[in-house]
Amino acid sequence: MLNLNSIMIGTAQPKVLAEFYARVFGKPADMHEGEWYGWQVGSTHFSIGAHTEVRGSAKEAARIIFNLETSEVKEEFERIKGLGANVIKEPYEVAGMEGMWIATFADPDGNYFQLMSPWDKK
């Protein structure tokens, strides 16, 4: 079985994204080396770094979306919205999945990320 242990976002503006995600995660980067920043978020390492082949905003922002799990989707939505995140979709309850809430944002590069209720993994 494979284990997803990290996500890396390449950017032309690593400091801007690092400052944004430090506010989202509520803490400074656990690792900062040059133009690279990283956080341990749950069981995944999340990193941001300068990438020479990345320019401007995400062209297809919905192609890859990462989810941040929280039992307080509505409260975290308001907090992150207050940080200036671009709201793509306000919190909504998923049809047919009572109690499953999702909200979608875009970061300063236009990459989508979501807040999501914990999955019932039964």
Side-chain angles (χ1 to χ4, degrees), residues 18-19 21-30 38-42 79:
E19 289 169 355
Y21 282 108
R23 293 190 314 269
V24 168
F25 299 141
K27 65 178 187 172
D30 298 317
W39 294 261
Q40 191 64 36
V41 183
R79 183 184 71 81

Side-chain angles (χ1 to χ4, degrees), residues 39-116:
W39 294 261
Q40 191 64 36
V41 183
S43 61
T44 301
H45 186 76
F46 180 89
S47 62
I48 293 168
H51 196 295
T52 59
E53 296 182 28
V54 175
R55 302 271 185 276
S57 294
K59 304 281 185 275
E60 294 179 304
R63 183 173 291 267
I64 294 178
I65 301 173
F66 64 90
N67 298 308
L68 300 172
E69 188 178 79
T70 177
S71 59
E72 299 175 349
V73 170
K74 294 175 192 173
E75 294 84 354
E76 283 295 308
F77 172 82
E78 291 300 330
R79 183 184 71 81
I80 294 171
K81 179 180 169 183
L83 298 174
N86 184 17
V87 174
I88 302 303
K89 186 148 178 111
E90 302 236 352
Y92 64 94
E93 191 170 22
V94 179
M97 297 181 75
E98 186 177 332
M100 174 57 73
W101 288 85
I102 298 176
T104 308
F105 292 102
D107 70 17
D109 270 7
N111 303 302
Y112 285 4
F113 66 98
Q114 295 179 314
L115 299 175
M116 178 178 278

